[in-house]
Each structure stands twice: as C-alpha cells, then as structure tokens.
Amino acid sequence: MAAHIGRRLRKGAATTAVAAAAVAALSASQAPGATVDDQGRQNTGDATSAPDTAADDSATGNSPYYTDLPPLNSPAPSPSAGSGEAGDRSAAEAGIPATVLDAYKKAEAALREKKAGCNLPWQLLAAIGKVESGQARGGRVTADGTTVTPILGPQLDGNGFALIRDTDNGAYDGNRMYDQAVGPMQFIPSTWSWAGRDGNGDGRKDPNNIYDAALAAGHYLCRFDWDLSEPGDLRKAILSYNNSTEYLNTVLSWLEYYRKGTHEIPDGTGALPEDRSDARPGVTPSAPGTTPPARPGTRPGKPSGSRPSPRPSAPGTGSPSAPPTTPPPSTPPTPTDTVHHLEDAGTGTLTAMAGHTFAERISTRAETEAGKAVAKVRIRFTIVGDTDTTFAGGESVATVTTDASGIAVAPALQAGEKTGAFAVQAAVAGRSVKGVPYKVTVTQRVADALTRVGEKELTCVAGGEFAEPVEVKATYGGEAAGKVAVTAKLVTSADDPAENDKGPYFKDADGKAIRTLTGLRTGPDGQLTLPKLYADGTAGTFLLRLTTAGGATLEVELTVEPAATPSPDPDPSADPDPSTDPSTEPSEIPAA
C-alpha cells in the first residue's frame, strides 16, 4: 500500500512537470504563429490548411479523456518489474493487451496499403487508445475484439462538455437526447456514421469493436492527405481527434513512449485509467462505461464528502427555508441553432469525366427562417450512392464552415472510375434541418483524337503474320487520355464499315480468327498496343479501323503481299532437250 501511495504522490507531482516539459519540447515543432487560447485549444496561423475541429466534427466531440502519463521506467519489462504491487502496475501500464495491440498493427498495415503517404504508425493509435479508454479498459474485450461492456463517455449536453444533440436516435450510445462518445476509440455517433470501418471482416462497423474502431481512427487521422511523419501534420491530425493542447501533449508523450518499445500482455490485465481531463478538486468524474448524472444546469459529479443540502421547511413550521436556487442562465443560441434551412448558392452542373477533377464545386448557403445568412456554421457534405468519387484526400465526407455571407464551398470532387449518377447531401453538422441534395454525374472516359505511334509500313506475306504491332495513342484536349475504351475492327473498305470476311485477322483465346476486338483500353499514358495480326491467303490492301469512346477514329492500312511462287520441279518423264541429251548427238560415221 505504501508503494502505491508513494507512486500516486510522485505521479501527481510529476504530471504538471511532464506536461510542461511536453509543451516546451513541442514548441520547436509548432507552426509559425501558433497560439493557445484560454480554453487550452491550439490555433495556428495557417488556418486555411487546418481541419475543421469543432466539437461536433472532431472524432470524439472533444469529450473527456484520460491524462495519465507514461510511467518513468522503460517500456520493456525488467526481471524485477513483475514483483510487488508497484511492479505489477508498472508492467500493466507499459504493456498493451494482445488483441488491442493486434488491432492497432492490422490497422497500420491496412493504411500502409490504402494510404501509404500518410505514414501512420500503430504507436499513434496505441497512444490515442490509451488516452481515450485506457486500451479498451485494460483490454477487456472478447476474442473478436468487441468490448465486454460498452464504453461510453458522458452525454454531450453542454453542461461542462460540448453540446451535441442526438444524431443516431440512440443506435450507438443508447441516448436519444444527446450524443455520447462510444467505444475504445471514443467516436461520437455523428462521426462514426461516416468514418466507421469494418476492421475484422465480419460485415459490421461496430464502434465497440477494437478492430473496427482502430481502422476507423487510422482513416480519420489520414484524411486531408496528411503525412504523419511530418510534425506539423501529426499535430493537426491529433488536434482534429480532440481539439485540446493538453490532449495533444498527452498523446505525444504516449506516442514517444510506445516508440521506445512495449510488450504484449494478456487481454484484461491492463491497468485501468484513473485521471480524467474533466476531473476537478472535489469532483468525481464519470468513467467511460457509465452515464453521468447530467441534468440541465448541472455539471457531472459532486464535491466529495459534502453533505446533502437541507430540505426546505414546510410552510408554517417557522424553520428557515433554504435559500432559493438561482436558475442557471439560459445558454445564448449558437449560429448553428439559428439555421432554419440550407439553400443552393449557385452551384452549376456537376458533371465530370471518370478520373478527372470536377470543375464545378458545390456551394451551399445557411439561412435563418427569414432568409438571413448565417456565418460560422459547419456544413457537412456527404457523398451518397454507389460511386467511388471522393473529395480531396479520398474521403466521402467533408465539413466546411460558412463564411460571412453564410456560404460554404465544398472541396473539389474527384471522379472515380464508376460512371453514372449519385448525390452529395449538404447538411448542418449537429442539427437536423432541411438540407440540399446535389445531383452529380460521372461520364465515361473519352478521347477526341487518336493517332498511330510509329510510321513503319505494316506488311505481311499471305498466310503469315505481321511482324510490327499496331500501336496508337489517344488524347483529349491535347492531353493523354488514359483508360479510354477502344474498338478495333477490320472493315471491308473506307466506305463500307461492315466487318471484312477475308484478309488480316486477330486470334481469340481459342486461336480462332476474329476481325473485331472490343474491351480494349488505353494505358495511363493514353497508349494502346493491339494484339498480333495474322493474314490468310488473300493478298491485297486492307483497313483496320479504330474508334474510341468520344468518337475519335483512326484508320490503319495493312498490306498483304502474295506468297512467292516456287519454281516447278523438272519432270523426269519429259523429253530431254536435244541440245543437251548426249544420246541425240550424231554419231561418227566411219569412212567408206
């Protein structure tokens, strides 16, 4: 017991010092002009490149987190670390439960494949998981990674926390009035609805599953094309998860600790977190997994050891009544509260060719019921439908704050390869008001010009094969047109597009002659090399016609030369040439 008490005293004294040291150490990597406001939030001079980190659009809703700092000893267990209460506690804090550690490493591997430029280290997920839930409450998870009991943060009712009214009808957090952060990575429902991932392959996206939550956290941290090997981008990503400088410093301290090494411990044996960010002297914080007693106008918890307030005396008893409780002042409406509806702000036609960036950007205006513009409102743009089109950074959701004229302009859309129509829904983040749907169309890739690569004549002997392949290049607007569909057809003549029934031909997979090829596509550089051509026994000049999506056409001339006529073999039965047959030469006549 003495060792435990001594450790807690040392920890309490060290927490402030370590946090201060972390701030000093981080100052070198701060962006120019970085400041910290009176709420402990960081502001940077490059606000245009920073993400929108409002409470209702951070991963956690800026809900409370654990401020426990790494132990002072080495992350690797020492031979003597396992003896005694303090040693057991230290080993548990330094280690990561097996299933939880596996989830972090699998998420890192998946992001290395999907978003290699992000350079996400699994140690960052471990650091965030430690700060958010103490590694899923010490690794209390089932074999598939689902928490044994749900991990819920306090309801975000504006009483000491952010105000986020219910966005999921209680589907994830069981609360139909306000949102609560859910699961080992503490996602709020409104964020999980678009950021959720299936990390264990069971066909579900469950925020209470560490595999799903870790993969979702990885994708969340890697949006906006951030490179987490860069200190500036790393800082922005962590602050977007929970916008607090104290949070940033705590996560970075665990990140560096885990980078020095860690070890696997059995599930369920990890240390439970203790110190939460919303704890105050004499206030008992609500632990994840419990719903705080939050009533309008009150803060969770109560002073420890305080006595109940005396009940007011009944009228006429003569006993003094307790002083009347002053009702809490009403919270002034936020700009978001005043939005009645959204309107389109002059968005043009949203059409782009597959693989291209949309020239037009979605523009939405937030208005009051009277039609007055509302500034500083966060508008969430969500891509809906069967499409692989994304916003910049590869995400299907983007959040933008309205300007002084009440307008939010979405990032440019990047068309994928799936063609057809889908929608982008504009909505007010954190509120259910009339939004605006936008119809978006992706058309197939096309080319407006098709040219042959090389000038060598294409000739072949009847019955043989062409030595030179046919190579072409497609362009659109003078630029290479990659992945454009091309059809190659051997036609009867320039005036007759019917398929020729003689002359050059291709071969199908079974080696049979075919004279029309479909399903061909140009490469990324716009070039296409056709399969080998063969010739039957018909000599002459033939035409190969190539057409692309978009109408570009090219005709290539093919020449088949007659096969050489072999010299006939001499017929032994034919009369020999008298001039060469010695038997026909006159014999000498003897003299008379």
Side-chain angles (χ1 to χ4, degrees), residues 255-544:
L255 171 60
E256 292 307 312
Y257 183 78
Y258 287 137
R259 276 176 168 165
K260 294 176 183 176
T262 185
H263 59 280
E264 179 183 299
I265 59 175
D267 289 345
T269 64
L272 296 178
E274 297 177 356
D275 300 320
R276 213 174 69 165
S277 62
D278 63 334
R280 300 288 185 271
V283 175
T284 303
S286 302
T290 63
T291 302
R295 301 189 309 275
T298 65
R299 290 180 63 90
K302 61 181 180 179
S304 60
S306 63
R307 290 177 296 176
S309 300
R311 299 179 61 184
S313 302
T317 61
S319 301
S321 300
T325 302
T326 303
S330 59
T331 303
T334 65
T336 300
D337 293 330
T338 66
V339 177
H340 177 266
H341 61 273
L342 298 180
E343 291 286 348
D344 175 43
T347 306
T349 303
L350 295 165
T351 302
M353 189 191 309
H356 288 65
T357 300
F358 282 74
E360 185 72 16
R361 293 168 65 178
I362 297 173
S363 183
T364 304
R365 175 180 161 98
E367 297 183 353
T368 64
E369 187 173 6
K372 184 179 179 181
V374 185
K376 298 182 180 180
V377 175
R378 291 163 184 86
I379 307 300
R380 178 177 293 127
F381 299 94
T382 305
I383 297 174
V384 181
D386 183 18
T387 180
D388 54 355
T389 295
T390 64
F391 290 111
E395 296 296 335
S396 60
V397 176
T399 303
V400 181
T401 302
T402 57
D403 59 18
S405 60
I407 294 176
V409 180
L413 286 163
Q414 177 65 42
E417 294 303 320
K418 289 185 178 180
T419 59
F422 59 95
V424 172
Q425 182 70 38
V428 177
R431 282 206 60 197
S432 297
V433 299
K434 180 184 177 183
V436 181
Y438 293 87
K439 182 180 178 181
V440 185
T441 304
V442 176
T443 60
Q444 66 177 333
R445 292 174 179 263
V446 299
D448 56 16
L450 193 61
T451 57
R452 187 182 161 209
V453 177
E455 298 179 354
K456 190 173 182 179
E457 291 186 2
L458 299 169
T459 61
C460 175
V461 176
E465 58 186 51
F466 287 80
E468 294 292 329
V470 177
E471 295 182 89
V472 297
K473 181 174 182 177
T475 56
Y476 182 79
E479 300 292 332
K483 300 182 181 180
V484 173
V486 179
T487 297
K489 183 178 182 180
L490 289 147
V491 297
T492 302
S493 68
D495 299 325
D496 186 355
E499 181 181 282
N500 207 335
D501 60 357
K502 56 186 176 181
Y505 61 90
F506 301 102
K507 288 183 179 180
D508 63 12
D510 298 324
K512 296 180 180 178
I514 56 172
R515 291 185 168 86
T516 300
L517 291 178
T518 58
L520 302 172
R521 287 193 178 273
T522 60
D525 57 357
Q527 295 194 186
L528 170 67
T529 301
L530 271 62
K532 182 183 288 291
L533 276 162
Y534 301 86
D536 62 12
T538 308
T541 300
F542 302 89
L543 281 183
L544 171 64

Side-chain angles (χ1 to χ4, degrees), residues 571 574-585:
D571 186 352
D575 291 337
D577 185 348
S579 63
T580 60
D581 187 352
S583 63
T584 61
E585 292 192 20

Side-chain angles (χ1 to χ4, degrees), residues 23-39:
V23 173
L26 286 168
S27 62
S29 64
Q30 301 295 320
T35 60
V36 177
D37 64 19
D38 59 357
Q39 300 298 318

